[in-house]
Amino acid sequence: ADLGKLREFIDARGIQLVQTWHTRDHVLAWRALGWSPAKRRAALVRWYKTAEPIADRAHNRVLYGRGCDGLLCVSPRVAAQNAHLCRGPVRGVFGAVDTEAFRPAAKDPTVLRSLGLAPEHRVVGIVARGQRKRRFPLLLEAARRLFHRDPLARLLIIGRGTHRREVAEEPARELGIADRVIFAGYRVDDYIDVVRAIDVFTFLVPGSDGTCRALLEALSLGTPAVTTRRGALPEIIRDGETGYTVDEEPDLLADRWHELLSDESRRKAFGEAARRDAVSRFAIPRFADEVASFYEDVETFRRG
């Protein structure tokens, strides 16, 4: 019944292209549009939202080959890794951020007080769900080493998660750093102001969104970042210009955090470069133009 309704919807509106997000809706759209690429009602494209290579297995070769007219990936490198699977155009498009909403501004004293922060505190911050895969042991151990060197440093963790207590709060107490780790929880109305409280952003593991949106938001705010080299992170960060990318070692993270926190002029220069780069590479109009251009490539490919 759903397939019939989807076909009617597509035909009645003269839809020329259908974009899918998850494997389930990809398969449903394929069935609704038609198995044969030559007879398909409309173009079928897939947005592959993680930064990991698609597993080169038989079912994926069929799904992304015969069952796909084009593939969008979260970065150029990821697109290159997956290009061999798809019969049509493959494009890597970085994520987007509202660079007008996420503009540099001074820290809000009221927000700082609500977080238990003072103006003299130097803040490393992260936006991450409280999940085991987000490398909290690495984050907290690096923070412990930073705190040993800088008594005014603080770690701000923004986000919710069903496992936050066991993966982050209890380990912080065990490491003896709970008084310098702030759990801001999930924020909505004051989210931008809370992120502005951060002096150096950090990002360890891309979550379910391989575009790393929270990182793009921080860069747009003019906040330099220190990240690992997972997923698209080395393509998003211009190492040595807008931040640093490091191996997943606590000392390396702590060293780079401390370098930027203790050198205000360098932190400012990196932040200004981060803002310029965000406006240039991650703004919504740029994203729209690249996706529209990709759709045109798909249509050209289908016309043969």
Side-chain angles (χ1 to χ4, degrees), residues 162-223:
T162 54
H163 301 290
R164 192 181 80 177
R165 182 173 58 82
E166 58 263 40
V167 303
E169 294 177 2
E170 291 179 357
R173 283 194 292 272
E174 292 169 3
L175 287 170
I177 60 173
D179 59 326
R180 284 170 282 184
V181 179
I182 297 101
F183 292 95
Y186 186 74
R187 314 299 282 237
V188 179
D189 295 338
D190 63 350
Y191 172 74
I192 295 178
D193 286 323
V194 172
V195 178
R196 282 197 182 109
I198 296 168
D199 296 300
V200 176
F201 196 78
T202 199
F203 214 80
L204 305 184
V205 182
S208 58
D209 176 10
T211 65
C212 307
R213 184 180 61 192
L215 173 60
L216 305 186
E217 293 167 346
L219 296 173
S220 183
L221 289 173
T223 307

Side-chain angles (χ1 to χ4, degrees), residues 38-64:
K39 299 178 180 179
R40 198 166 283 150
R41 283 176 165 78
L44 173 57
V45 303
R46 170 73 179 267
W47 181 286
Y48 187 69
K49 64 189 180 69
T50 73
E52 303 302 322
I54 299 170
D56 193 358
R57 297 171 181 161
H59 65 275
N60 280 336
R61 288 193 291 272
V62 175
L63 184 63
Y64 292 95

Side-chain angles (χ1 to χ4, degrees), residues 26-89:
H26 186 167
V27 173
L28 289 173
W30 185 13
R31 293 176 63 189
L33 294 171
W35 294 113
S36 171
K39 299 178 180 179
R40 198 166 283 150
R41 283 176 165 78
L44 173 57
V45 303
R46 170 73 179 267
W47 181 286
Y48 187 69
K49 64 189 180 69
T50 73
E52 303 302 322
I54 299 170
D56 193 358
R57 297 171 181 161
H59 65 275
N60 280 336
R61 288 193 291 272
V62 175
L63 184 63
Y64 292 95
R66 184 177 177 83
C68 193
D69 297 308
L71 176 64
L72 272 170
C73 298
V74 298
S75 77
R77 183 179 63 84
V78 177
Q81 291 174 333
N82 294 323
H84 66 287
L85 288 174
C86 189
R87 53 184 288 275

Side-chain angles (χ1 to χ4, degrees), residues 9-296:
F9 184 90
I10 291 167
D11 291 345
R13 289 161 177 77
I15 290 172
Q16 295 174 285
L17 184 144
V18 176
Q19 178 172 306
T20 63
W21 187 256
H22 296 288
T23 297
R24 182 177 182 274
D25 52 69
H26 186 167
V27 173
L28 289 173
W30 185 13
R31 293 176 63 189
L33 294 171
W35 294 113
S36 171
K39 299 178 180 179
R40 198 166 283 150
R41 283 176 165 78
L44 173 57
V45 303
R46 170 73 179 267
W47 181 286
Y48 187 69
K49 64 189 180 69
T50 73
E52 303 302 322
I54 299 170
D56 193 358
R57 297 171 181 161
H59 65 275
N60 280 336
R61 288 193 291 272
V62 175
L63 184 63
Y64 292 95
R66 184 177 177 83
C68 193
D69 297 308
L71 176 64
L72 272 170
C73 298
V74 298
S75 77
R77 183 179 63 84
V78 177
Q81 291 174 333
N82 294 323
H84 66 287
L85 288 174
C86 189
R87 53 184 288 275
V90 179
R91 182 81 64 90
V93 179
F94 288 117
V97 60
D98 184 345
T99 54
E100 289 303 306
F102 287 85
R103 298 180 65 87
K107 297 181 180 182
D108 186 327
T110 302
V111 171
L112 291 180
R113 287 194 296 271
S114 73
L115 295 169
L117 291 169
E120 63 270 20
H121 287 144
R122 293 180 279 270
V123 183
V124 173
I126 189 171
V127 177
R129 290 178 63 85
Q131 298 173 329
R132 294 180 177 87
K133 64 182 180 181
R134 300 306 290 266
R135 299 301 310 276
F136 277 97
L138 172 62
L139 177 72
L140 295 173
E141 177 57 28
R144 186 186 69 82
R145 299 182 189 201
L146 172 67
F147 298 154
H148 181 72
R149 300 165 67 175
D150 185 354
L152 291 176
R154 296 292 185 270
L155 175 63
L156 175 62
I157 299 174
I158 305 168
R160 60 187 171 193
T162 54
H163 301 290
R164 192 181 80 177
R165 182 173 58 82
E166 58 263 40
V167 303
E169 294 177 2
E170 291 179 357
R173 283 194 292 272
E174 292 169 3
L175 287 170
I177 60 173
D179 59 326
R180 284 170 282 184
V181 179
I182 297 101
F183 292 95
Y186 186 74
R187 314 299 282 237
V188 179
D189 295 338
D190 63 350
Y191 172 74
I192 295 178
D193 286 323
V194 172
V195 178
R196 282 197 182 109
I198 296 168
D199 296 300
V200 176
F201 196 78
T202 199
F203 214 80
L204 305 184
V205 182
S208 58
D209 176 10
T211 65
C212 307
R213 184 180 61 192
L215 173 60
L216 305 186
E217 293 167 346
L219 296 173
S220 183
L221 289 173
T223 307
V226 178
T227 76
T228 66
R229 298 190 172 96
R230 292 198 184 200
L233 294 176
E235 296 171 272
I236 294 172
I237 295 297
R238 296 194 186 278
D239 193 36
E241 296 179 25
T242 64
Y244 292 115
T245 59
V246 299
D247 292 335
E248 296 177 35
E249 297 291 339
D251 277 333
L252 297 178
L253 278 169
D255 286 346
R256 290 306 196 186
W257 292 344
H258 184 259
E259 177 183 327
L260 289 172
L261 290 176
S262 60
D263 188 337
E264 186 175 354
S265 62
R266 178 172 296 188
R267 187 170 73 247
K268 181 180 179 181
F270 275 40
E272 291 173 349
R275 170 64 184 178
R276 290 193 300 270
D277 196 41
V279 171
S280 172
R281 292 201 295 156
F282 309 131
I284 290 172
R286 183 277 319 163
F287 177 87
D289 288 343
E290 289 196 37
V291 173
S293 172
F294 167 75
Y295 289 162
E296 292 171 359

